[in-house]
Amino acid sequence: MTSTPGGHARTERVGPRAVGEPLPLEVEQGVPLDMMLTRAGSRAGLRGILPARPLAAWAAALARRPVTVAKRGRDLTTEIIDIVAGHGPPLPRDRRFNDRAWTENGAYRRWAQTHLAIHSTARLLLQDAELDERTESMLRLLIDNAASAASPSNTLLNPAAVKEAFDTGGVSLWRGLRNLLDDMSAAPRIPTMVDRSAFTVGEDVAATPGTVVQRHEMYELIEYTPTTPQVRATPLLMVPPMINKYYALDLAPGRSVVEHLVGAGHRVFVISWRNPTAQHASWGLDAYVGAVLAAVGAVLDVTRSPRTSLWGTCSGGIIAAVTAAHLASRGQDLVASLALTVTLLDQDVQGATGALLDPDQARRAIRRSARRGFLDGASLAELFAWLRPDDLVWNYWVSNYLMGRQPPAFDLLFWNADSTRLTAALHRDFIDLAIHNRLLNPGSLTVRDGPVDLGDIEVDSFVVAGKADHITPWRTCYRSTRMLGGRCEFVLSNSGHVAAMVNPPGNPRAEFQHGTSTPEDPEEFLAQATTVSGSWWPAYVEWLDSRSGDLVPAPSQPGSDAYPPLHPAPGTYVHAT
């Protein structure tokens, strides 16, 4: 093992690999990003994600500790006796048990207390086994999912469901059964989280005025209409993820970062990725970097600017960073600044997400997507849901099926349900990046006939992460500040993965930590960072202003001679299913 600039351990550097080469058989530990794609689409829920080997290791470790196991058993028995006698501990704050019956009715209270006691004992037995971190993380995910599934609140005896059935004369049960059958009839086979009929793309979401000025085989380039008499001379090109549609960047009016940036006087361009099919299976990392290079060329032609700023989100952030490194290695000074939101460049992630990448599963996943030509985004959505089952599965199970209610109308969940496919080649390349953590090792990855070194990116960077992010953990996102060559500022939002990005001003609960100094230890950053109430968007605007040149008259027409207006925003690719 060696030490990285960020002070964390890593595997020895592997040899360079050009994108598109076969994945070596000797895969090492790595970690997902959209790399949880590894197992997505294989089986429903967590089946197949947690193989028998960790369970066998846990059983063997406990078999070597019979005294400890016996003590845990005695402690649990004593606790259950206390619970039955009415002397159990008070129920913790848990929205599953919000109904008054869980605390005021003795039978319900004892049921919930017993469930929590068993879950706690299983967790303690896992700690007692003293397994390696990866195995323990996998088993913790299994234990927590099993406990979530077995929660008393998920049964028809849930007091809220009983009351609803009584109040509606049983109609709620019929509605719930109908909702269940509808959801189980097609992927992703998890409870519906949103009323999809409540939104129309281009009207309620993706509604900021703009024009498609380039239609590439892989994307449409949208130029947004200025709303200020003057704009910054240096434009901004935004690179969204490849899973789900681009309009997380242009959500509902008042909740759109695109709208916010345009209103602040910036010329904003966004890539709207095409939803690929099997015929596009060969589009890999090389092709997507080439697509961003083509978009950069179009933006510079339209704006007559020598440089553009880049913004990348999640997997789009990886593509944006690799593109910037590629340009820097060629001596092409085309990037003015770089923003990365909820993006993992160093993919050595611990915990539940890091536990999901298994070498054998990786090879099987690559073969599956190669046969189909793509990875289905609906299956990925299912996997993400099982990483937070209480919030993303069982909460809606109770509401939709036990209570017989329709899901709410929420723009962010509507976007989340609007999934896309990932090409087989990009799936393969992303898994390779994760397994070998290639971006951490300069020269390990070759793109467009050149080695990639993120240290070549010497422009200033603005890195954003979410404190509650379960997909791209913030401490891992923070390591990007140690990998990029320029001066970095780091922002830590108090939100989760998507909400960290969709963070409009006006939310009284929003806050973030911001620092211009990025020490190696993320905890040191946290100790010295400034805590700011509200959205981080204005902080980014201020940062971007100083790196975007002078104010110039806003253009009266979109596009240019080489890139004429083609279609009103949000274009045509966003509507493809």
Side-chain angles (χ1 to χ4, degrees):
M1 304 288 282
T2 60
S3 176
T4 70
H8 51 282
R10 69 177 189 192
T11 55
E12 292 297 324
R13 171 176 167 173
V14 296
R17 172 190 175 271
V19 293
E21 290 181 3
L23 189 68
L25 292 179
E26 64 281 6
V27 284
E28 305 164 23
Q29 88 163 21
V31 88
L33 149 79
D34 290 310
M35 302 10 167
M36 286 184 286
L37 302 166
T38 306
R39 259 129 310 185
S42 58
R43 298 173 185 146
L46 292 176
R47 287 178 295 164
I49 289 177
L50 296 159
R53 193 179 306 164
L55 289 170
W58 187 21
L62 292 179
R64 294 191 295 270
R65 297 167 172 83
V67 175
T68 300
V69 174
K71 180 181 181 301
R72 294 297 184 199
R74 287 196 305 270
D75 291 346
L76 176 60
T77 301
T78 300
E79 187 173 1
I80 291 176
I81 291 172
D82 288 342
I83 289 171
V84 172
H87 305 305
L91 289 176
R93 294 187 63 181
D94 188 325
R95 71 177 180 183
R96 294 177 298 174
F97 307 124
N98 277 346
D99 192 280
R100 291 170 53 189
W102 291 110
T103 54
E104 297 180 4
N105 180 287
Y108 275 119
R109 184 178 64 253
R110 290 171 173 83
W111 190 10
Q113 289 169 332
T114 301
H115 168 76
L116 294 174
I118 294 171
H119 184 195
S120 176
T121 300
R123 279 273 200 146
L124 290 171
L125 284 169
L126 181 58
Q127 293 177 18
D128 294 335
E130 297 181 351
L131 301 168
D132 65 88
E133 186 174 9
R134 176 182 171 82
T135 302
E136 183 174 332
S137 295
M138 295 179 74
L139 289 169
R140 189 181 304 115
L141 184 62
L142 175 61
I143 289 169
D144 291 347
N145 267 268
S148 294
S151 173
S153 60
N154 296 334
T155 72
L156 282 172
L157 293 179
N158 183 320
V162 171
K163 181 180 179 182
E164 187 76 9
F166 181 81
D167 289 345
T168 63
V171 173
S172 63
L173 300 178
W174 167 249
R175 290 197 301 251
L177 178 60
R178 184 179 59 195
N179 290 341
L180 175 63
L181 294 176
D182 287 344
D183 286 344
M184 296 302 113
S185 65
R189 295 184 178 86
I190 55 177
T192 299
M193 301 179 193
V194 65
D195 179 4
R196 299 191 188 189
S197 66
F199 299 95
T200 301
V201 175
E203 296 179 12
D204 312 289
V205 293
T208 301
T211 305
V212 173
V213 294
Q214 182 193 23
R215 183 169 291 119
H216 187 279
E217 182 185 22
M218 298 177 69
Y219 66 86
E220 288 181 328
L221 180 66
I222 300 172
E223 177 185 3
Y224 287 93
T225 305
T227 58
T228 55
Q230 292 183 307
V231 295
R232 293 287 174 180
T234 301
L236 172 67
L237 172 61
M238 306 181 82
V239 185
M242 294 80 193
I243 291 291
N244 294 92
K245 306 292 178 63
Y246 82 91
Y247 60 85
L249 302 173
D250 185 25
L251 215 54
R255 290 168 48 77
S256 163
V257 68
V258 165
E259 178 189 56
H260 184 80
L261 291 166
V262 170
H266 286 275
R267 292 194 72 177
V268 180
F269 294 76
V270 172
I271 289 174
S272 173
W273 294 113
R274 185 174 191 170
N275 191 3
T277 63
Q279 73 182 80
H280 308 121
S282 62
W283 292 353
L285 186 61
D286 228 44
Y288 277 89
V289 170
V292 175
L293 290 172
V296 167
V299 169
L300 299 185
D301 182 273
V302 169
T303 62
R304 300 293 188 264
S305 171
R307 299 196 299 169
T308 182
S309 288
L310 285 180
W311 163 311
T313 295
C314 199
S315 56
I318 289 181
I319 301 297
V322 170
T323 302
H326 170 77
L327 289 170
S329 70
R330 299 294 179 90
Q332 296 178 281
D333 184 23
L334 303 182
V335 177
S337 71
L338 176 65
L340 298 176
T341 60
V342 293
T343 296
L344 295 182
L345 299 180
D346 180 346
Q347 292 161 19
D348 180 15
V349 179
Q350 305 303 318
T353 54
L356 292 179
L357 192 62
D358 173 75
D360 292 335
Q361 291 278 359
R363 286 191 288 267
R364 286 194 289 270
I366 290 171
R367 288 195 292 268
R368 277 193 299 273
S369 64
R371 286 194 297 269
R372 297 186 69 188
F374 58 83
L375 179 72
D376 187 6
S379 297
L380 180 61
E382 181 180 6
L383 178 58
F384 284 171
W386 286 106
L387 290 177
R388 291 175 56 196
D390 284 337
D391 292 335
L392 301 179
V393 178
W394 300 114
N395 175 48
Y396 294 98
W397 171 279
V398 171
S399 176
N400 297 6
Y401 307 154
L402 304 187
M403 307 286 286
R405 296 174 179 171
Q406 292 303 308
F410 184 35
D411 51 17
L412 199 55
L413 291 177
F414 175 83
W415 166 82
N416 188 62
D418 196 4
S419 60
T420 61
R421 293 171 287 275
L422 192 77
T423 68
L426 189 60
H427 179 207
R428 175 202 63 216
D429 290 340
F430 272 169
I431 288 177
D432 180 72
L433 284 179
I435 286 173
H436 293 298
N437 208 356
R438 292 192 181 277
L439 294 178
L440 184 64
N441 301 300
S444 175
L445 177 69
T446 299
V447 170
R448 303 188 71 81
D449 300 322
V452 174
D453 182 353
L454 297 183
D456 289 339
I457 303 174
E458 296 183 349
V459 299
D460 293 346
S461 299
F462 193 90
V463 180
V464 180
K467 186 176 288 186
D469 191 340
H470 68 294
I471 297 175
T472 56
W474 81 265
R475 289 174 179 83
T476 312
C477 291
Y478 182 82
R479 297 179 201 151
S480 298
T481 65
R482 317 302 301 165
M483 298 168 66
L484 302 169
R487 187 162 56 102
C488 291
E489 294 190 21
F490 186 77
V491 161
L492 179 60
S493 169
N494 67 337
S495 305
H497 184 67
V498 181
M501 179 179 57
V502 181
N503 197 253
N507 181 356
R509 294 181 295 176
E511 68 174 28
F512 62 95
Q513 278 80 44
H514 182 205
T516 56
S517 172
T518 53
E520 288 191 8
D521 186 352
E523 303 304 325
E524 186 179 343
F525 162 83
L526 203 59
Q528 69 182 32
T530 301
T531 299
V532 183
S533 297
S535 167
W536 58 266
W537 290 0
Y540 174 65
V541 167
E542 182 179 355
W543 182 90
L544 187 62
D545 283 349
S546 64
R547 293 159 178 81
S548 299
D550 297 330
L551 289 168
V552 298
S556 58
Q557 298 293 330
S560 64
D561 291 342
Y563 298 96
L566 299 176
H567 195 280
T572 60
Y573 283 3
V574 73
H575 295 292
T577 58

